[in-house]
Amino acid sequence: MRIISSTAAMQKLALQWKRAGVKIGFVPTMGYLHAGHLSLVRAARKRVGKSGKVVVSIYVNPTQFAPTEDLSKYPRDLKRDLKLCREAGVDVVFTPGDAEMYPGKADGNYSTYVVEENLGRVMEGASRPTHFRGVTTVVAKLFNIVLPDVSVFGQKDFQQAAIIRRMTRDLNFPVKIIVAPTLRERDGLAMSSRNKYLTGDLRRQATVLWCAIQVAKFAVQKSKSVTAADLKADLKKLIEIEPDAKLDYVEFFNPETLQRVAQVKRGTQMALAMFVGKTRLIDNARL
Ligand code: PAF
């Protein structure tokens, strides 16, 4: 396994592979890898086969964090990440630094961003207004550096995956986007690097997110169609029974357009975000 931190070296290698007809599968991550990430690596390998190359990027992208968010505290453990990647059969880990990814930024001389202007306005985009601009910018840059044929994203970040698909289509990136299912802990909590913050009773309280999804599924099965406003109110009450849990949003929407629906039925997508103590968790499900 090679570890590359220069953008020029990564791009050069990707170009060599391209010229030789080698397929490139790419998994962008912010590190602190868990079983969910490794399932994305397996999905990438499946797509490109033994003769293809799998690249994982590990980069905690500053432009997707607001000044008030947890950038400096974001969990990092490169040594462990590299070991996991090696064991998973990754060919290259790309670990750029900020100066490589955003040349000139420290002196105020970085000025190009990629903005998706529709799907990113709601939910995560409403709660974290600069977040998706950072995500689309870094993913577009990574696509230009790694030159993947296939790139794999997790379903846990449902809105992010929809925005990346849209960006890829709108800007003609020759990349196939694969969205792989969310991996869960035994009690239903979606795997996330942020789960590390859930110590003591907060870990137990966090499972209310999965309970809320089950309650919504049950409500739809039982009554075929429920008003979104009623279900939102019920889920807020359910979540906030936990002493340290606070609902940020719960939305019911069309999975393709992300447009809100007034009536929730089978096939409606739900997404929700909540704080447990200071940790913000997200999850989603098709009902
Ligand atoms: O999902 C993530 O970990 C990040 O948003 C991504 C796609 C790696 C971009 O920094």
Side-chain angles (χ1 to χ4, degrees), residues 26-53:
F26 177 45
V27 181
T29 82
M30 299 208 298
Y32 213 74
L33 304 180
H34 51 68
H37 293 111
L38 300 176
S39 76
L40 308 185
V41 170
R42 282 195 298 277
R45 174 61 70 196
K46 203 167 151 205
R47 291 283 166 161
V48 299
K50 275 199 188 124
S51 59
K53 300 289 182 189

PDB file of all heavy atoms in Angstrom, residues 26-53:
ATOM      1  N   PHE A  26     -12.736   4.891  -5.676  1.00  0.00           N
ATOM      2  CA  PHE A  26     -12.310   5.918  -4.719  1.00  0.00           C
ATOM      3  C   PHE A  26     -13.292   6.039  -3.558  1.00  0.00           C
ATOM      4  O   PHE A  26     -14.504   6.128  -3.766  1.00  0.00           O
ATOM      5  CB  PHE A  26     -12.206   7.251  -5.475  1.00  0.00           C
ATOM      6  CG  PHE A  26     -11.850   8.422  -4.605  1.00  0.00           C
ATOM      7  CD1 PHE A  26     -10.837   8.339  -3.654  1.00  0.00           C
ATOM      8  CD2 PHE A  26     -12.524   9.637  -4.748  1.00  0.00           C
ATOM      9  CE1 PHE A  26     -10.515   9.422  -2.854  1.00  0.00           C
ATOM     10  CE2 PHE A  26     -12.203  10.725  -3.963  1.00  0.00           C
ATOM     11  CZ  PHE A  26     -11.198  10.613  -3.011  1.00  0.00           C
ATOM     12  N   VAL A  27     -12.741   6.062  -2.339  1.00  0.00           N
ATOM     13  CA  VAL A  27     -13.553   6.290  -1.133  1.00  0.00           C
ATOM     14  C   VAL A  27     -13.001   7.507  -0.408  1.00  0.00           C
ATOM     15  O   VAL A  27     -11.954   7.421   0.248  1.00  0.00           O
ATOM     16  CB  VAL A  27     -13.529   5.048  -0.203  1.00  0.00           C
ATOM     17  CG1 VAL A  27     -14.400   5.303   1.022  1.00  0.00           C
ATOM     18  CG2 VAL A  27     -13.984   3.798  -0.945  1.00  0.00           C
ATOM     19  N   PRO A  28     -13.668   8.662  -0.511  1.00  0.00           N
ATOM     20  CA  PRO A  28     -13.209   9.830   0.244  1.00  0.00           C
ATOM     21  C   PRO A  28     -13.658   9.732   1.697  1.00  0.00           C
ATOM     22  O   PRO A  28     -14.813   9.376   1.959  1.00  0.00           O
ATOM     23  CB  PRO A  28     -13.904  11.010  -0.453  1.00  0.00           C
ATOM     24  CG  PRO A  28     -15.022  10.444  -1.237  1.00  0.00           C
ATOM     25  CD  PRO A  28     -14.836   8.959  -1.356  1.00  0.00           C
ATOM     26  N   THR A  29     -12.753  10.007   2.622  1.00  0.00           N
ATOM     27  CA  THR A  29     -13.122   9.953   4.048  1.00  0.00           C
ATOM     28  C   THR A  29     -12.430  11.095   4.801  1.00  0.00           C
ATOM     29  O   THR A  29     -11.512  11.728   4.284  1.00  0.00           O
ATOM     30  CB  THR A  29     -12.676   8.633   4.749  1.00  0.00           C
ATOM     31  OG1 THR A  29     -11.287   8.746   5.114  1.00  0.00           O
ATOM     32  CG2 THR A  29     -12.872   7.416   3.883  1.00  0.00           C
ATOM     33  N   MET A  30     -12.870  11.288   6.033  1.00  0.00           N
ATOM     34  CA  MET A  30     -12.177  12.227   6.920  1.00  0.00           C
ATOM     35  C   MET A  30     -11.422  11.438   7.996  1.00  0.00           C
ATOM     36  O   MET A  30     -11.052  11.993   9.033  1.00  0.00           O
ATOM     37  CB  MET A  30     -13.161  13.209   7.544  1.00  0.00           C
ATOM     38  CG  MET A  30     -13.876  14.037   6.465  1.00  0.00           C
ATOM     39  SD  MET A  30     -14.396  15.662   7.023  1.00  0.00           S
ATOM     40  CE  MET A  30     -15.526  15.227   8.304  1.00  0.00           C
ATOM     41  N   GLY A  31     -11.204  10.142   7.738  1.00  0.00           N
ATOM     42  CA  GLY A  31     -10.413   9.334   8.667  1.00  0.00           C
ATOM     43  C   GLY A  31     -11.206   8.884   9.878  1.00  0.00           C
ATOM     44  O   GLY A  31     -12.430   8.937   9.902  1.00  0.00           O
ATOM     45  N   TYR A  32     -10.454   8.419  10.890  1.00  0.00           N
ATOM     46  CA  TYR A  32     -11.033   7.783  12.070  1.00  0.00           C
ATOM     47  C   TYR A  32     -11.991   6.679  11.599  1.00  0.00           C
ATOM     48  O   TYR A  32     -13.172   6.656  11.920  1.00  0.00           O
ATOM     49  CB  TYR A  32     -11.733   8.793  12.983  1.00  0.00           C
ATOM     50  CG  TYR A  32     -11.607   8.370  14.430  1.00  0.00           C
ATOM     51  CD1 TYR A  32     -10.395   8.513  15.097  1.00  0.00           C
ATOM     52  CD2 TYR A  32     -12.668   7.792  15.103  1.00  0.00           C
ATOM     53  CE1 TYR A  32     -10.249   8.073  16.406  1.00  0.00           C
ATOM     54  CE2 TYR A  32     -12.539   7.350  16.409  1.00  0.00           C
ATOM     55  CZ  TYR A  32     -11.323   7.502  17.050  1.00  0.00           C
ATOM     56  OH  TYR A  32     -11.186   7.071  18.351  1.00  0.00           O
ATOM     57  N   LEU A  33     -11.420   5.797  10.813  1.00  0.00           N
ATOM     58  CA  LEU A  33     -12.214   4.818  10.067  1.00  0.00           C
ATOM     59  C   LEU A  33     -12.900   3.806  10.982  1.00  0.00           C
ATOM     60  O   LEU A  33     -12.372   3.446  12.029  1.00  0.00           O
ATOM     61  CB  LEU A  33     -11.308   4.085   9.067  1.00  0.00           C
ATOM     62  CG  LEU A  33     -10.546   4.985   8.088  1.00  0.00           C
ATOM     63  CD1 LEU A  33      -9.689   4.131   7.151  1.00  0.00           C
ATOM     64  CD2 LEU A  33     -11.480   5.881   7.291  1.00  0.00           C
ATOM     65  N   HIS A  34     -14.066   3.378  10.555  1.00  0.00           N
ATOM     66  CA  HIS A  34     -14.805   2.334  11.269  1.00  0.00           C
ATOM     67  C   HIS A  34     -15.338   1.337  10.238  1.00  0.00           C
ATOM     68  O   HIS A  34     -15.098   1.498   9.028  1.00  0.00           O
ATOM     69  CB  HIS A  34     -15.928   2.942  12.120  1.00  0.00           C
ATOM     70  CG  HIS A  34     -16.812   3.881  11.362  1.00  0.00           C
ATOM     71  ND1 HIS A  34     -17.664   3.468  10.368  1.00  0.00           N
ATOM     72  CD2 HIS A  34     -16.960   5.231  11.425  1.00  0.00           C
ATOM     73  CE1 HIS A  34     -18.311   4.511   9.890  1.00  0.00           C
ATOM     74  NE2 HIS A  34     -17.893   5.596  10.495  1.00  0.00           N
ATOM     75  N   ALA A  35     -16.087   0.352  10.735  1.00  0.00           N
ATOM     76  CA  ALA A  35     -16.554  -0.718   9.844  1.00  0.00           C
ATOM     77  C   ALA A  35     -17.377  -0.177   8.672  1.00  0.00           C
ATOM     78  O   ALA A  35     -17.371  -0.751   7.584  1.00  0.00           O
ATOM     79  CB  ALA A  35     -17.365  -1.725  10.649  1.00  0.00           C
ATOM     80  N   GLY A  36     -18.073   0.944   8.902  1.00  0.00           N
ATOM     81  CA  GLY A  36     -18.868   1.547   7.819  1.00  0.00           C
ATOM     82  C   GLY A  36     -17.969   1.952   6.650  1.00  0.00           C
ATOM     83  O   GLY A  36     -18.257   1.650   5.487  1.00  0.00           O
ATOM     84  N   HIS A  37     -16.843   2.618   6.961  1.00  0.00           N
ATOM     85  CA  HIS A  37     -15.906   3.006   5.895  1.00  0.00           C
ATOM     86  C   HIS A  37     -15.370   1.767   5.171  1.00  0.00           C
ATOM     87  O   HIS A  37     -15.210   1.770   3.954  1.00  0.00           O
ATOM     88  CB  HIS A  37     -14.702   3.760   6.476  1.00  0.00           C
ATOM     89  CG  HIS A  37     -15.026   5.089   7.066  1.00  0.00           C
ATOM     90  ND1 HIS A  37     -14.955   5.343   8.415  1.00  0.00           N
ATOM     91  CD2 HIS A  37     -15.413   6.258   6.485  1.00  0.00           C
ATOM     92  CE1 HIS A  37     -15.277   6.595   8.646  1.00  0.00           C
ATOM     93  NE2 HIS A  37     -15.563   7.179   7.503  1.00  0.00           N
ATOM     94  N   LEU A  38     -15.061   0.735   5.961  1.00  0.00           N
ATOM     95  CA  LEU A  38     -14.457  -0.458   5.345  1.00  0.00           C
ATOM     96  C   LEU A  38     -15.450  -1.133   4.400  1.00  0.00           C
ATOM     97  O   LEU A  38     -15.055  -1.718   3.394  1.00  0.00           O
ATOM     98  CB  LEU A  38     -13.945  -1.421   6.419  1.00  0.00           C
ATOM     99  CG  LEU A  38     -12.873  -0.789   7.335  1.00  0.00           C
ATOM    100  CD1 LEU A  38     -12.459  -1.746   8.436  1.00  0.00           C
ATOM    101  CD2 LEU A  38     -11.646  -0.327   6.544  1.00  0.00           C
ATOM    102  N   SER A  39     -16.751  -0.989   4.700  1.00  0.00           N
ATOM    103  CA  SER A  39     -17.745  -1.549   3.769  1.00  0.00           C
ATOM    104  C   SER A  39     -17.752  -0.735   2.461  1.00  0.00           C
ATOM    105  O   SER A  39     -18.007  -1.280   1.394  1.00  0.00           O
ATOM    106  CB  SER A  39     -19.137  -1.607   4.408  1.00  0.00           C
ATOM    107  OG  SER A  39     -19.718  -0.317   4.447  1.00  0.00           O
ATOM    108  N   LEU A  40     -17.435   0.553   2.532  1.00  0.00           N
ATOM    109  CA  LEU A  40     -17.339   1.369   1.306  1.00  0.00           C
ATOM    110  C   LEU A  40     -16.119   0.925   0.487  1.00  0.00           C
ATOM    111  O   LEU A  40     -16.159   0.871  -0.743  1.00  0.00           O
ATOM    112  CB  LEU A  40     -17.234   2.862   1.623  1.00  0.00           C
ATOM    113  CG  LEU A  40     -18.291   3.481   2.553  1.00  0.00           C
ATOM    114  CD1 LEU A  40     -18.099   4.998   2.638  1.00  0.00           C
ATOM    115  CD2 LEU A  40     -19.701   3.185   2.091  1.00  0.00           C
ATOM    116  N   VAL A  41     -15.037   0.599   1.197  1.00  0.00           N
ATOM    117  CA  VAL A  41     -13.824   0.111   0.516  1.00  0.00           C
ATOM    118  C   VAL A  41     -14.140  -1.199  -0.214  1.00  0.00           C
ATOM    119  O   VAL A  41     -13.756  -1.393  -1.373  1.00  0.00           O
ATOM    120  CB  VAL A  41     -12.667  -0.088   1.529  1.00  0.00           C
ATOM    121  CG1 VAL A  41     -11.490  -0.819   0.891  1.00  0.00           C
ATOM    122  CG2 VAL A  41     -12.218   1.255   2.104  1.00  0.00           C
ATOM    123  N   ARG A  42     -14.884  -2.080   0.462  1.00  0.00           N
ATOM    124  CA  ARG A  42     -15.243  -3.369  -0.187  1.00  0.00           C
ATOM    125  C   ARG A  42     -16.107  -3.124  -1.427  1.00  0.00           C
ATOM    126  O   ARG A  42     -15.919  -3.764  -2.464  1.00  0.00           O
ATOM    127  CB  ARG A  42     -15.994  -4.280   0.792  1.00  0.00           C
ATOM    128  CG  ARG A  42     -15.067  -4.972   1.787  1.00  0.00           C
ATOM    129  CD  ARG A  42     -15.764  -6.134   2.483  1.00  0.00           C
ATOM    130  NE  ARG A  42     -16.913  -5.693   3.274  1.00  0.00           N
ATOM    131  CZ  ARG A  42     -16.824  -5.206   4.512  1.00  0.00           C
ATOM    132  NH1 ARG A  42     -15.653  -5.101   5.119  1.00  0.00           N
ATOM    133  NH2 ARG A  42     -17.915  -4.829   5.161  1.00  0.00           N
ATOM    134  N   ALA A  43     -17.029  -2.152  -1.311  1.00  0.00           N
ATOM    135  CA  ALA A  43     -17.898  -1.846  -2.467  1.00  0.00           C
ATOM    136  C   ALA A  43     -17.052  -1.307  -3.623  1.00  0.00           C
ATOM    137  O   ALA A  43     -17.291  -1.642  -4.786  1.00  0.00           O
ATOM    138  CB  ALA A  43     -18.973  -0.836  -2.059  1.00  0.00           C
ATOM    139  N   ALA A  44     -16.043  -0.501  -3.318  1.00  0.00           N
ATOM    140  CA  ALA A  44     -15.179   0.046  -4.373  1.00  0.00           C
ATOM    141  C   ALA A  44     -14.392  -1.088  -5.031  1.00  0.00           C
ATOM    142  O   ALA A  44     -14.291  -1.164  -6.266  1.00  0.00           O
ATOM    143  CB  ALA A  44     -14.226   1.088  -3.784  1.00  0.00           C
ATOM    144  N   ARG A  45     -13.857  -1.995  -4.201  1.00  0.00           N
ATOM    145  CA  ARG A  45     -13.076  -3.126  -4.747  1.00  0.00           C
ATOM    146  C   ARG A  45     -13.950  -3.991  -5.656  1.00  0.00           C
ATOM    147  O   ARG A  45     -13.531  -4.427  -6.721  1.00  0.00           O
ATOM    148  CB  ARG A  45     -12.482  -3.936  -3.589  1.00  0.00           C
ATOM    149  CG  ARG A  45     -11.792  -5.198  -3.982  1.00  0.00           C
ATOM    150  CD  ARG A  45     -10.608  -4.978  -4.912  1.00  0.00           C
ATOM    151  NE  ARG A  45      -9.508  -4.335  -4.218  1.00  0.00           N
ATOM    152  CZ  ARG A  45      -8.473  -3.748  -4.835  1.00  0.00           C
ATOM    153  NH1 ARG A  45      -8.401  -3.718  -6.157  1.00  0.00           N
ATOM    154  NH2 ARG A  45      -7.516  -3.178  -4.136  1.00  0.00           N
ATOM    155  N   LYS A  46     -15.194  -4.212  -5.206  1.00  0.00           N
ATOM    156  CA  LYS A  46     -16.105  -5.043  -5.996  1.00  0.00           C
ATOM    157  C   LYS A  46     -16.296  -4.440  -7.394  1.00  0.00           C
ATOM    158  O   LYS A  46     -16.342  -5.147  -8.388  1.00  0.00           O
ATOM    159  CB  LYS A  46     -17.441  -5.110  -5.259  1.00  0.00           C
ATOM    160  CG  LYS A  46     -18.257  -6.305  -5.628  1.00  0.00           C
ATOM    161  CD  LYS A  46     -19.395  -6.479  -4.659  1.00  0.00           C
ATOM    162  CE  LYS A  46     -20.550  -7.170  -5.384  1.00  0.00           C
ATOM    163  NZ  LYS A  46     -21.823  -6.885  -4.788  1.00  0.00           N
ATOM    164  N   ARG A  47     -16.389  -3.112  -7.442  1.00  0.00           N
ATOM    165  CA  ARG A  47     -16.619  -2.437  -8.725  1.00  0.00           C
ATOM    166  C   ARG A  47     -15.419  -2.474  -9.652  1.00  0.00           C
ATOM    167  O   ARG A  47     -15.566  -2.561 -10.852  1.00  0.00           O
ATOM    168  CB  ARG A  47     -16.976  -0.965  -8.481  1.00  0.00           C
ATOM    169  CG  ARG A  47     -18.323  -0.795  -7.851  1.00  0.00           C
ATOM    170  CD  ARG A  47     -19.364  -0.985  -8.913  1.00  0.00           C
ATOM    171  NE  ARG A  47     -20.663  -1.149  -8.309  1.00  0.00           N
ATOM    172  CZ  ARG A  47     -21.798  -0.966  -8.961  1.00  0.00           C
ATOM    173  NH1 ARG A  47     -21.786  -0.616 -10.232  1.00  0.00           N
ATOM    174  NH2 ARG A  47     -22.950  -1.137  -8.358  1.00  0.00           N
ATOM    175  N   VAL A  48     -14.210  -2.345  -9.097  1.00  0.00           N
ATOM    176  CA  VAL A  48     -13.032  -2.236  -9.980  1.00  0.00           C
ATOM    177  C   VAL A  48     -12.315  -3.571 -10.167  1.00  0.00           C
ATOM    178  O   VAL A  48     -11.461  -3.703 -11.045  1.00  0.00           O
ATOM    179  CB  VAL A  48     -12.013  -1.159  -9.500  1.00  0.00           C
ATOM    180  CG1 VAL A  48     -12.658   0.206  -9.481  1.00  0.00           C
ATOM    181  CG2 VAL A  48     -11.426  -1.519  -8.143  1.00  0.00           C
ATOM    182  N   GLY A  49     -12.656  -4.558  -9.335  1.00  0.00           N
ATOM    183  CA  GLY A  49     -12.058  -5.888  -9.466  1.00  0.00           C
ATOM    184  C   GLY A  49     -10.612  -5.928  -8.986  1.00  0.00           C
ATOM    185  O   GLY A  49     -10.060  -4.922  -8.547  1.00  0.00           O
ATOM    186  N   LYS A  50     -10.030  -7.118  -9.108  1.00  0.00           N
ATOM    187  CA  LYS A  50      -8.657  -7.329  -8.623  1.00  0.00           C
ATOM    188  C   LYS A  50      -7.661  -6.510  -9.419  1.00  0.00           C
ATOM    189  O   LYS A  50      -6.629  -6.067  -8.900  1.00  0.00           O
ATOM    190  CB  LYS A  50      -8.296  -8.808  -8.743  1.00  0.00           C
ATOM    191  CG  LYS A  50      -8.740  -9.626  -7.566  1.00  0.00           C
ATOM    192  CD  LYS A  50      -7.960 -10.944  -7.519  1.00  0.00           C
ATOM    193  CE  LYS A  50      -8.545 -11.844  -6.460  1.00  0.00           C
ATOM    194  NZ  LYS A  50      -8.961 -13.145  -6.976  1.00  0.00           N
ATOM    195  N   SER A  51      -7.948  -6.316 -10.710  1.00  0.00           N
ATOM    196  CA  SER A  51      -6.987  -5.607 -11.570  1.00  0.00           C
ATOM    197  C   SER A  51      -7.096  -4.082 -11.394  1.00  0.00           C
ATOM    198  O   SER A  51      -6.239  -3.344 -11.880  1.00  0.00           O
ATOM    199  CB  SER A  51      -7.241  -5.959 -13.023  1.00  0.00           C
ATOM    200  OG  SER A  51      -8.567  -5.576 -13.340  1.00  0.00           O
ATOM    201  N   GLY A  52      -8.151  -3.635 -10.702  1.00  0.00           N
ATOM    202  CA  GLY A  52      -8.322  -2.192 -10.497  1.00  0.00           C
ATOM    203  C   GLY A  52      -7.570  -1.709  -9.269  1.00  0.00           C
ATOM    204  O   GLY A  52      -6.931  -2.498  -8.567  1.00  0.00           O
ATOM    205  N   LYS A  53      -7.628  -0.399  -9.040  1.00  0.00           N
ATOM    206  CA  LYS A  53      -6.952   0.182  -7.870  1.00  0.00           C
ATOM    207  C   LYS A  53      -7.996   0.855  -6.978  1.00  0.00           C
ATOM    208  O   LYS A  53      -8.912   1.515  -7.491  1.00  0.00           O
ATOM    209  CB  LYS A  53      -5.939   1.240  -8.307  1.00  0.00           C
ATOM    210  CG  LYS A  53      -4.855   0.698  -9.225  1.00  0.00           C
ATOM    211  CD  LYS A  53      -3.873  -0.202  -8.478  1.00  0.00           C
ATOM    212  CE  LYS A  53      -2.775  -0.688  -9.411  1.00  0.00           C
ATOM    213  NZ  LYS A  53      -1.931  -1.704  -8.799  1.00  0.00           N
TER     214      LYS A  53
END
